[in-house]
Amino acid sequence: MEWMKAIGDAVDYIETHLTEDIDTESVARHVCISPFYFQKGFSMLCGYTVAEYIRNRRLALAGGELLSGQVKIIDVALKYGYDSPDSFAKAFTRFHGITPTMARKEGVMLKSFAPLKLTISLKGGYRMDYKITKKETFTVLGFSRTFDYENANRDVPAFWQEHYALGRSRYVNGMFGVNIDCFMGHENFEYLIADLYNPTMDIPEGFVVKTIPAFTWAVFPCKGLNSLQNVNTRIFSEWLPALKEYEIAAGYCIEMYDRPDKYPNGTSDENYHVEFWIPVTKK
């Protein structure tokens, strides 16, 4: 299925099933795209994870229903997937800035969140450097944590800052950032700050050893740390949707960071080299 049509069909499916039990996996299954690919592509193109989009749409509709004053709060909470008035009240207050009870009062301000509408524009003609290369199995030593996709853009950089602040870099300096989602369908993933593993050294407390399988990888070079997010977005919003020969092979995504001492300004150097590795297989 063509990618933009898949996003449009996914939005339509979400809108007609907002009061039912839906999640990323069920939406991806409806549009016949792997949940891992769909999760990443949706968030890159739309600016929200699937779960965040569903939650915001539900809370916006819930606000409108409470404003009418004709329904009970518990009934609205259950209708939009909340098991208790307390959990609904917390989510509602975070979204609207007022409690469900206050939403019944005349003149209160509620937040809207309209359904996504796709518009057609002419794009393309872009250039994006990449290479396809085979890599054998390799093993890394790293410090691991599990993150939600929804907050990853904020939490993963904070994880790196914490890594250096707590002195873990004396064991692992951070040659790799390894994203692992083996089931390619969960709302969260494992992320490691890692180096190549030296089997002669002891494994520090709290660190883990992971073996990365042999794959054919699409390798995307970046110049400068500031270009990372832009390149990552273009991989999932432009390169993969336009690619005819390959698709994602497994739930891995690797950032490879060059040695900072090779550059006059270290990691702040405008030519500092970083690579994204995406495992691919021929369709």
Side-chain angles (χ1 to χ4, degrees), residues 10-23 26-27 50-62 65 76-82 113-116:
V11 170
D12 290 342
Y13 179 80
I14 290 169
E15 287 301 310
T16 56
H17 294 80
L18 279 172
T19 59
E20 301 173 24
D21 186 16
I22 55 172
D23 55 18
S26 63
V27 178
V50 180
E52 187 178 12
Y53 178 76
I54 292 171
R55 183 174 64 249
N56 288 349
R57 284 292 297 137
R58 285 171 168 170
L59 290 169
L61 292 175
E65 292 191 21
V76 175
L78 293 173
K79 179 179 179 178
Y80 289 107
Y82 292 88
F113 189 84
L116 285 168

Side-chain angles (χ1 to χ4, degrees), residues 246-270:
Y246 291 93
E247 60 188 356
I248 290 180
Y252 288 86
C253 180
I254 295 179
E255 307 142 22
M256 193 285 293
Y257 297 93
D258 206 355
R259 283 175 30 217
D261 59 10
K262 293 169 59 177
Y263 303 86
N265 297 313
T267 58
S268 299
D269 198 280
E270 63 180 7

Side-chain angles (χ1 to χ4, degrees), residues 29 32 71 77 107 115 144 158 181 197 223 253 274:
R29 187 166 56 247
C32 303
V71 290
S144 169
D181 183 354
Y197 173 56
K223 274 191 176 182
C253 180
V274 185

Side-chain angles (χ1 to χ4, degrees), residues 33-92:
I33 296 177
S34 81
F36 178 81
Y37 179 19
F38 180 73
Q39 171 78 280
K40 282 184 170 289
F42 187 95
S43 62
M44 293 295 182
L45 285 171
C46 304
Y48 304 94
T49 65
V50 180
E52 187 178 12
Y53 178 76
I54 292 171
R55 183 174 64 249
N56 288 349
R57 284 292 297 137
R58 285 171 168 170
L59 290 169
L61 292 175
E65 292 191 21
L66 289 176
L67 191 61
S68 72
Q70 302 300 313
V71 290
K72 296 180 180 179
I73 292 175
I74 182 61
D75 291 338
V76 175
L78 293 173
K79 179 179 179 178
Y80 289 107
Y82 292 88
D83 296 330
S84 70
D86 286 344
S87 61
F88 175 66
K90 289 178 182 177
F92 190 94

Side-chain angles (χ1 to χ4, degrees), residues 196-210:
L196 289 172
Y197 173 56
N198 180 353
T200 64
M201 70 175 287
D202 294 331
I203 301 173
E205 184 178 356
F207 285 71
V208 297
V209 172
K210 294 277 186 178

Side-chain angles (χ1 to χ4, degrees), residues 98-233:
I98 59 173
T99 66
T101 301
M102 293 174 62
R104 293 184 177 281
K105 296 181 179 179
E106 184 178 349
V108 298
M109 298 287 289
L110 294 174
K111 295 186 183 302
S112 64
F113 189 84
L116 285 168
K117 298 292 184 183
L118 297 183
T119 59
I120 298 174
S121 61
L122 293 176
K123 291 186 177 181
Y126 57 82
R127 293 194 306 171
M128 193 169 189
D129 294 332
Y130 73 96
K131 63 181 178 181
I132 303 294
T133 184
K134 292 183 178 180
K135 296 183 183 292
E136 298 300 321
T137 298
F138 63 98
T139 305
V140 297
L141 170 71
F143 198 84
S144 169
R145 187 167 294 170
T146 299
F147 295 96
D148 294 332
Y149 279 108
E150 184 172 329
N151 300 312
N153 287 344
R154 177 196 68 198
D155 294 344
V156 171
F159 181 46
W160 279 90
Q161 293 174 4
E162 174 193 293
H163 181 79
Y164 292 111
L166 295 180
R168 298 191 193 111
S169 57
R170 66 181 182 269
Y171 304 115
V172 166
N173 194 47
M175 178 180 181
F176 300 109
V178 183
N179 177 325
I180 304 174
D181 183 354
C182 291
F183 297 102
M184 296 177 68
H186 286 183
E187 297 295 332
N188 51 52
F189 61 97
E190 182 182 12
Y191 186 91
L192 291 86
I193 299 173
D195 286 342
L196 289 172
Y197 173 56
N198 180 353
T200 64
M201 70 175 287
D202 294 331
I203 301 173
E205 184 178 356
F207 285 71
V208 297
V209 172
K210 294 277 186 178
T211 297
I212 309 300
F215 286 117
T216 296
W217 300 82
V219 177
F220 301 84
C222 308
K223 274 191 176 182
L225 288 178
N226 290 335
S227 69
L228 275 178
Q229 189 56 43
N230 178 55
V231 171
N232 191 28
T233 298

